[in-house]
Amino acid sequence: MDKVKAKKHLGQHFLNDENIAQKIADSLTLEGYSRVLEIGPGMGVLTKYLLEKPTETYVIEIDTESVAYLDAHYPKLHGKIISKDFLKYNLKEVFGEEPYAIIGNFPYNISSQIVFKTLELRDQIPEFSGMFQKEVAERICEKKGSKTYGILSVLTQAFYDTEYLFTVSEHVFTPPPKVKSGVMRMRRKADYKLPCDEKLFFTVVKTAFNQRRKTLRNSLKSLNLSDNLREDSIFGLRPEQISVEDFIILTQRIAADGV
């Protein structure tokens, strides 16, 4: 097999620029883990550079044609190709309780879901790096006050330090996507346990941004807050005006309010 045909339904756009592949691989700091999981390796343009690292590289790929190609062309991957759907597979079957980093040139159609799954697995994932649609990468790293600051920004930055690294042209892919790409990195905070009810924190953030044009006084009505709490000045703000730290404080106060 000489090459894999990109499949539209899988959102495949194969990177064909070796320098960019090298830069993405080099974005990993290799601190706090000895194993790396690449999501959606395709024909292995990024994989080959990961295999040069002093870490164990695993790949997870849903496309059977890509799996066959990788198995034929990368002997070092034998026994380390997971032919599963990352969003549905229990990775403890491979890694147990060991930490591992995640990296990839992520399919745009499921990139946000990949981040949310990473947040679920945050106890085992100290670092995450990769390529998204540019707007998604920027949103993950965005700070309060921006129209693109949202659920993904707050939930990610509650647990990870995020950094937008560089932009990638659409012309270095086969087939070329219709948008530019962006590479970003997330490094888990040293103290990533929130000083509030984490389940309630997720609920507050998602509920607030689901009606992002409204003030919190209106968007959080469904949480049945007391009139006394809702009189606080923070409830006159819209969600994009509130920092991650303030969302944590807000969650603490809502919990104390008896929700």
Side-chain angles (χ1 to χ4, degrees), residues 96-162:
E97 300 298 328
E98 292 294 311
Y100 55 95
I102 284 180
I103 194 168
N105 170 20
F106 305 118
Y108 294 156
N109 55 347
I110 59 166
S111 59
S112 295
Q113 293 168 266
I114 289 172
V115 176
F116 284 125
K117 176 77 179 284
T118 297
L119 293 179
E120 290 175 18
L121 302 171
R122 58 189 177 274
D123 285 340
Q124 283 186 261
I125 302 175
E127 189 166 53
F128 175 106
S129 185
M131 184 152 51
F132 295 82
Q133 181 175 332
K134 184 173 183 281
E135 287 74 13
V136 176
E138 289 175 334
R139 187 178 304 135
I140 292 168
C141 302
E142 193 60 84
K143 302 301 181 187
K144 74 168 187 175
S146 163
K147 288 183 178 179
T148 56
Y149 176 76
I151 294 173
L152 207 54
S153 321
V154 176
L155 296 184
T156 303
Q157 293 173 38
F159 305 103
Y160 290 85
D161 292 319
T162 62

Side-chain angles (χ1 to χ4, degrees), residues 73-88:
H73 289 80
Y74 296 95
K76 284 185 179 179
L77 283 180
H78 288 171
K80 295 177 180 176
I81 301 174
I82 308 163
S83 184
K84 299 286 184 181
D85 181 344
F86 170 76
L87 297 176
K88 298 176 181 176

Side-chain angles (χ1 to χ4, degrees), residues 35 37 56 58 82 89-100 120-125:
R35 293 172 170 183
L37 176 66
E56 267 192 295
Y58 291 75
I82 308 163
Y89 184 61
N90 179 9
L91 286 159
K92 288 190 187 297
E93 293 187 18
V94 175
F95 298 112
E97 300 298 328
E98 292 294 311
Y100 55 95
E120 290 175 18
L121 302 171
R122 58 189 177 274
D123 285 340
Q124 283 186 261
I125 302 175

Side-chain angles (χ1 to χ4, degrees), residues 227-239:
D227 290 340
N228 187 47
L229 180 59
R230 291 173 67 239
E231 285 173 8
D232 190 282
S233 60
I234 195 170
F235 285 89
L237 299 175
R238 293 189 303 277

Side-chain angles (χ1 to χ4, degrees), residues 14-27:
F14 294 133
L15 180 65
N16 53 39
D17 187 307
E18 298 288 336
N19 291 328
I20 292 173
Q22 177 86 68
K23 280 179 72 177
I24 296 171
D26 289 346
S27 69

